[in-house]
């Protein structure tokens, strides 16, 4: 079974530029998550989709971050414009069900973003 | 607001030692707690999931315990090996996963 795919794996940009990340979840998984992991910290949930609807985006900085999940499959996360503090690893995860208490999340390898 | 803390932040042990990683959380209203492993440049791999009604879970050389009333969990690794070197993260699920900052483990041959 193929895992969660993410691209690119690495990205270096200058502040105020735009960047987009792509995630392809495990086939058949209804729920998709984007996390931000700053160096030395644990991942923090940015947004959760169930199919193509948003379940939780309470920690997404909506003035600069946006995300979409078209047709309930692939997802893109965009930052525009980027700030220095956005330097982090962006992890995508998916789960089979609705994200309920016993639903296991499977993580992709992440995209490491460096903002100069 | 749920806060998750892991101690120690880093740990170095010789091969063969048994070791314990600690995780504490502030809000006991959780569905479950998970321990993950993260290797450099890679995503997270789920090791063990303990439901709130359970006290412990075991998988091979790993044993995780949960004391919900005191807000604590431990991950016990028996007979550590160099291949166990990684960052270990605990996460509590009270509706969404809240992660600790991780313990970076190094097992020396």
């Amino acid at each position: 079974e193929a895992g969660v795919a993410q691209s690119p794996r690495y990205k270096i940009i200058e502040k105020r530029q735009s960047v987009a990340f792509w995630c392809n979840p495990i086939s058949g998984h209804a729920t998709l998550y984007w996390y931000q992991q700053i160096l030395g910290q644990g991942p923090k949930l940015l947004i959760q989709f169930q199919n193509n609807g948003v379940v939780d985006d309470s920690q997404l900085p909506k003035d600069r971050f946006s995300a979409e999940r078209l047709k309930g499959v692939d997802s893109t996360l965009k930052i525009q414009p980027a700030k220095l503090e956005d330097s982090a690893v962006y992890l995508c995860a998916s789960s089979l069900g609705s994200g309920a208490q016993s639903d296991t999340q499977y993580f992709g390898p992440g995209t490491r973003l460096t903002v100069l | 607001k749920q806060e998750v803390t892991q101690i120690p932040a880093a740990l170095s042990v010789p091969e063969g030692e048994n070791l314990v990683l600690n995780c504490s959380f502030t809000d006991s209203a959780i569905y479950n707690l998970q321990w993950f492993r993260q290797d450099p440049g890679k995503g997270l791999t789920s090791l063990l999931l303990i439901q709130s009604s359970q006290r412990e879970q075991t998988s091979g050389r790993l044993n995780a315990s949960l004391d919900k009333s005191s807000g604590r969990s431990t991950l016990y690794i028996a007979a550590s090996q160099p291949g166990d070197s990684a960052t270990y993260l605990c996460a509590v699920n009270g509706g969404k996963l809240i992660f600790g900052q991780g313990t970076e483990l190094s097992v020396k041959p």
Side-chain angles (χ1 to χ4, degrees):
Chain A
E1 176 182 86
V4 177
Q6 291 188 245
S7 68
R9 292 295 313 277
Y10 305 92
K11 190 73 177 180
I12 301 174
I13 62 173
E14 296 188 349
K15 60 183 179 183
R16 291 188 291 273
Q17 285 188 324
S18 302
V19 65
F21 313 129
W22 174 82
C23 173
N24 181 231
I26 293 173
S27 178
H29 279 198
T31 305
L32 184 147
Y33 314 78
W34 282 102
Y35 290 86
Q36 179 192 57
Q37 185 176 21
I38 293 173
L39 185 64
Q41 299 181 17
K44 179 183 78 173
L45 179 68
L46 292 177
I47 188 167
Q48 176 182 342
F49 292 95
Q50 185 174 345
N51 297 310
N52 60 352
V54 175
V55 175
D56 184 347
D57 64 356
S58 57
Q59 297 194 93
L60 186 73
K62 298 180 184 65
D63 58 335
R64 298 183 301 106
F65 286 64
S66 64
E68 61 182 4
R69 190 183 184 197
L70 297 176
K71 300 180 181 178
V73 182
D74 293 3
S75 177
T76 57
L77 176 69
K78 297 179 182 178
I79 307 175
Q80 179 180 10
K83 293 185 175 181
L84 297 177
E85 59 261 35
D86 298 332
S87 294
V89 175
Y90 290 85
L91 295 164
C92 179
S94 69
S95 63
L96 182 62
S98 61
Q101 59 191 75
S102 59
D103 209 17
T104 299
Q105 295 184 28
Y106 298 86
F107 284 79
T111 296
R112 181 177 297 276
L113 173 67
T114 301
V115 182
L116 303 176
Chain B
K1 178 186 174 184
Q2 180 73 269
E3 293 183 1
V4 181
T5 303
Q6 291 187 244
I7 295 174
L11 181 63
S12 181
V13 300
E15 181 178 4
E17 271 202 9
N18 302 324
L19 58 99
V20 175
L21 307 181
N22 297 290
C23 173
S24 62
F25 49 95
T26 56
D27 187 348
S28 61
I30 64 171
Y31 296 123
N32 57 54
L33 182 146
Q34 275 186 273
W35 283 92
F36 290 87
R37 169 181 173 142
Q38 186 172 31
D39 293 282
K42 297 189 178 180
L44 280 64
T45 301
S46 180
L47 298 173
L48 290 165
L49 184 151
I50 311 176
Q51 300 292 354
S52 63
S53 58
Q54 297 176 321
R55 297 285 292 183
E56 65 179 293
Q57 279 285 346
T58 298
S59 176
R61 294 182 294 107
L62 305 179
N63 176 276
S65 69
L66 174 63
D67 183 343
K68 202 172 69 164
S69 61
S70 67
R72 294 182 180 179
S73 176
T74 61
L75 179 66
Y76 174 83
I77 301 177
S80 59
Q81 303 170 359
D84 295 331
S85 297
T87 296
Y88 291 80
L89 294 151
C90 74
V92 297
N93 182 1
K96 62 184 177 185
L97 289 183
I98 306 295
F99 285 83
Q101 72 272 39
T103 293
E104 186 176 358
L105 173 65
S106 176
V107 182
K108 304 295 186 184

